[in-house]
Amino acid sequence: MSVELSRRNFLAQSMAIGAGLATFAQTGTLRADDATEKPKIQGFDETDTNIDPNAAWQPFTDRKLRMGIVGFGLCQFGAQFGLQDHPNAEIVAVSDLFQDRRDALAEACRCEKTYDSLEEMIKDDSIEAIFIATDAPSHCDHACKALRAGKHVASAVPAVFGSLEDADKLYETVKETGQLYGMFETSSFHDDVYLARKIYKAGGFGKMIYTEGEYYHYGAGTLPGYKNWRRGLVPQWYPTHSNAYYTCVTGNSFTHVSCVGFRSKLDEFQDNPYNNPFGTEVALFQTSEGGSARMAVSWDSCGWGGETGRMRGEIGAVNGGYAAIDEKTQELVNKLGDLRKPQLPPTVGAGGHGGSHGYLGSNFIESVLKGVHPLVNVAVALNTTVGGIVAHQSALRDGELLTIPQYAMW
């Protein structure tokens, strides 16, 4: 017998789960303001998150991880994850190809040492780890260079950009160097994903029967980027915010995909460097545990945007503002205790994208210092990314069912 609980009733019956089921806040139509102002970037104002007030952060070492940061473009991601504010990290150097951005990044991170390029920065033996916040097409190349220079690496999404060969290259480089790698996928620390991951890992959902993830952005044309890389961007080459609703809950992967693309009327899809006609791509995946997942990415959306999803297991489900679980799972949830996110260090804010930024930064720093793989390790990162690359191939072939490469930790 299943029980379906409203968010209010669920809060009353179980503080262990209720606070993690916040209703998604929808943003309005997003646009770039005129060139003299910083564009409004979707996700950077989504700071509401549910944190357990009783789960105070506990220091575990006095050591500071010596970090470098590269990249401070439109999104200014280099300073968005609280790395410069964490008590166990020190930003010892920053880099950007453009001096004004380089100087701004140094100021934001309270760092005096700067380098003209990543290639120069990785020669600095004082740096232990590097956060790569450069343009998406450069992520794999920059990550591999830093890894081979003996640095641990955190990367903005996606792990690789449209290339299965790069996926294999990144995987083998992490494996060969023995360095730690983490991808800063923001959906992995959304309240509902964090909650569902805890319950799933404890056996509270059984196998996932069906999952949905949606990433809807812009609606008013391309935001600028280095070498104009966002123009005509293949939707499923940037799939991690939606795919995380399965991969970052279960740790599993997608095995096959059929994808349908929608030919956009926006000017950027009539002429772009990717020869991509699609402004929206909706993929239907088969999962490694025998379920299915529908993952949509759209640049055509208007009226609202955001990252959202829902998860339906054999004995439990999470859907935005409510949960439905059977009595046995309810008993398990009660034993797990409060499933809201624990507190961050007092100096680190939760940040944007649903209060995920600070958690990703903190998870990477603590993982390196403890010598364990970050939450979104290289296998999870690639299993979250490569399904989208194959999905686009399927869309170009009118939905042909294709096989997806698999990655696992060694």
Side-chain angles (χ1 to χ4, degrees), residues 149-376:
K151 318 299 183 185
H152 303 293
V153 168
S155 172
V157 301
V160 297
F161 191 71
S163 169
L164 296 179
E165 292 77 12
D166 278 354
D168 289 343
K169 176 183 175 182
L170 177 62
Y171 182 76
E172 292 302 326
T173 302
V174 174
K175 184 176 182 180
E176 291 171 7
T177 62
Q179 302 300 117
L180 297 175
Y181 172 92
M183 184 179 73
F184 281 1
E185 171 40 54
T186 54
S187 292
S188 68
F189 276 103
H190 283 186
D191 290 347
D192 54 350
V193 174
Y194 179 86
L195 167 74
R197 180 167 60 247
K198 291 290 187 181
I199 298 176
Y200 180 88
K201 295 298 185 183
F205 287 133
K207 293 181 178 180
M208 283 296 183
I209 299 172
Y210 178 67
T211 307
E212 292 182 355
E214 297 168 351
Y215 176 37
Y216 300 146
H217 210 326
Y218 311 163
T222 297
L223 292 173
Y226 180 63
K227 294 184 178 180
N228 214 18
W229 69 267
R230 291 185 178 91
R231 179 175 176 80
L233 174 62
V234 176
Q236 286 287 345
W237 284 5
Y238 211 92
T240 62
H241 293 336
S242 49
N243 287 354
Y245 272 83
Y246 178 74
T247 57
C248 291
V249 171
T250 67
N252 296 325
S253 61
F254 307 119
T255 59
H256 299 82
V257 63
S258 173
C259 182
V260 174
F262 179 83
R263 292 180 178 268
S264 178
K265 293 182 179 180
L266 295 175
D267 289 343
E268 64 196 88
F269 295 101
Q270 314 314 311
D271 178 25
N272 61 75
Y274 312 113
N275 294 317
N276 168 46
F278 303 129
T280 298
E281 292 180 320
V282 180
L284 182 62
F285 293 103
Q286 182 176 350
T287 71
S288 58
E289 57 187 325
S292 59
R294 181 190 66 83
M295 299 298 180
V297 185
S298 178
W299 314 142
D300 291 303
S301 58
C302 61
W304 63 278
E307 300 106 44
T308 187
R310 52 212 63 86
M311 296 142 276
R312 185 175 184 85
E314 294 174 302
I315 54 174
V318 171
N319 181 6
Y322 70 89
I325 56 179
D326 72 1
E327 294 173 355
K328 186 175 293 186
T329 300
Q330 178 68 68
E331 294 176 3
L332 172 64
V333 166
N334 292 338
K335 292 178 182 178
L336 289 175
D338 198 313
L339 293 182
R340 290 175 289 182
K341 290 184 283 193
Q343 294 183 49
L344 289 162
T347 53
V348 178
H353 284 91
S356 65
H357 290 180
Y359 286 93
L360 286 162
S362 187
N363 174 257
F364 178 75
I365 291 166
E366 295 188 17
S367 295
V368 173
L369 292 177
K370 292 177 180 178
V372 299
H373 291 286
L375 172 68
V376 189

Side-chain angles (χ1 to χ4, degrees), residues 52-70:
D52 180 1
N54 300 309
W57 179 77
Q58 297 295 327
F60 65 95
T61 181
D62 293 330
R63 194 164 95 72
K64 290 180 179 288
L65 181 67
R66 298 186 302 278
M67 295 193 66
I69 299 176
V70 56

